Amino acid sequence: MTLSPIRTATRHDLPAIERVFSAAYSEYEFVIKGLPDMAAGVAEAVAAHEVWVVENDHAIVGCLILKEFEDSLQVVNVATTPEVRGQGLGGMMMRFAEAEGALRGVDCLRLATHVDMPGNVEMYRHLGWEETGRDGMRVFMEKVL
């Protein structure tokens, strides 16, 4: 795998970003009832410079969406294509999110994942995140910087 450095997404990346989200969440479409459109709002996030991408051989294979709040940086979405899953790309993007949070001077990172995605919860725990609560189907997690 020949990964490019993580970079800010541009509007030209939108079709590829939508493909990444579609591929990343396709296995959950029939398992999770009411799974929202994971690419909803991506164009606005790209325009606000809140989206980063990673390429493998000039094809986007990973996407990260971050949104800043007063006291935290929210990991809105992190996704990789199935063919690169398990190769450390998700962890790399999460370490980038931590570095970005530190650069912005926020106290912590926050995210929400789905209770029916236990692999996500375990990956985040492995990366040092702590569960802070649950609300219906959402699992809230936080990492203090």
Side-chain angles (χ1 to χ4, degrees):
M1 186 162 60
T2 309
L3 293 177
S4 68
I6 195 164
R7 66 172 174 80
T8 305
T10 70
R11 62 182 175 84
H12 300 291
D13 296 323
L14 283 171
I17 292 168
E18 290 171 358
R19 282 192 296 276
V20 169
F21 286 134
S22 177
Y25 291 101
S26 64
E27 69 186 87
Y28 297 107
E29 288 176 355
F30 301 106
V31 177
I32 299 175
K33 293 179 181 176
L35 184 68
D37 177 4
M38 301 310 284
V42 171
E44 294 83 2
V46 167
H49 308 289
E50 298 172 337
V51 182
W52 287 263
V53 295
V54 177
E55 296 172 301
N56 181 33
D57 295 328
H58 307 290
I60 293 175
V61 294
C63 300
L64 172 68
I65 302 176
L66 301 172
K67 184 161 186 66
E68 188 171 354
F69 294 92
E70 280 186 30
D71 64 340
S72 67
L73 190 60
Q74 176 86 25
V75 177
V76 176
N77 205 328
V78 60
T80 63
T81 57
E83 63 268 12
V84 299
R85 195 167 292 144
Q87 298 182 35
L89 181 55
M92 182 187 90
M93 289 188 294
M94 294 304 287
R95 286 186 296 279
F96 174 86
E98 290 176 33
E100 188 68 21
L103 280 172
R104 296 178 187 204
V106 298
D107 296 330
C108 68
L109 297 176
R110 292 193 174 111
L111 63 79
T113 188
H114 199 281
V115 70
D116 289 333
M117 295 179 172
N120 286 2
V121 173
E122 288 308 312
M123 178 189 76
Y124 296 133
R125 282 189 181 134
H126 175 75
L127 294 172
W129 290 70
E130 292 186 21
E131 185 174 326
T132 59
R134 293 186 179 221
D135 177 18
M137 301 307 283
R138 295 183 298 174
V139 179
F140 298 101
M141 302 188 83
E142 178 177 283
K143 184 163 188 181
V144 176
L145 299 178

